[in-house]
Amino acid sequence: MFDRNVNAQVYVNQVLADVVVPFMQNDFPHGDGTLQQDGTRPHTARVTQQFLAQHNINVLEWAAMSPDTSPIEHLWDELKGRVYARAKPPTNVNQLRKAVIEEWENIPQQLISNLVRSM
């Protein structure tokens, strides 16, 4: 979670460098993995594209007007539904942060696998 807006530099430093590159190197050591991202500015910025190229991260080409087929969008919907369905919904930012983390950890891996396979 971020306490501020995510610009391209934050995306590169805290998402790509800290999470994506280690994941790709560990799970796809032969460079056969592909990263899917949408067309938001931090994803398409020059600094992002240069970073991905320097680290040999393959990126799925994404047409500007293509329908959203990313499983993460369905996962966000699931997470949002779980947070709103809580017996005591969050009433401030700290409670919301706690609820999001708890509900994220409670999403069954099978649901995530099913979403990925459905694409």
Side-chain angles (χ1 to χ4, degrees):
M1 284 192 211
F2 293 94
D3 291 327
R4 59 185 173 152
N5 289 338
V6 177
N7 61 26
Q9 200 59 59
V10 170
Y11 180 64
V12 166
N13 293 339
Q14 295 183 22
V15 177
L16 296 178
D18 291 352
V19 179
V20 173
V21 169
F23 173 82
M24 296 296 272
Q25 289 173 341
N26 184 61
D27 286 25
F28 301 100
H30 304 292
D32 55 341
T34 301
L35 175 66
Q36 179 181 358
Q37 25 179 37
D38 60 21
T40 62
R41 183 69 186 130
H43 298 173
T44 60
R46 180 175 290 129
V47 66
T48 300
Q49 298 308 307
Q50 290 170 342
F51 180 89
L52 292 167
Q54 289 169 353
H55 289 84
N56 298 313
I57 303 292
N58 299 317
V59 179
L60 182 66
E61 293 296 324
W62 201 255
M65 300 302 284
S66 66
D68 194 356
T69 57
S70 173
I72 195 69
E73 298 302 330
H74 301 288
L75 196 53
W76 294 144
D77 289 342
E78 176 71 20
L79 179 61
K80 185 167 100 177
R82 287 170 172 262
V83 169
Y84 285 133
R86 292 172 71 97
K88 187 176 179 189
T91 58
N92 60 48
V93 172
N94 288 334
Q95 289 177 4
L96 177 60
R97 179 184 304 272
K98 185 176 186 244
V100 166
I101 291 169
E102 288 174 0
E103 295 302 338
W104 179 262
E105 291 173 350
N106 288 329
I107 294 175
Q109 183 60 48
Q110 187 61 46
L111 174 64
I112 297 168
S113 296
N114 290 346
L115 287 172
V116 170
R117 279 195 304 276
S118 75
M119 299 292 129

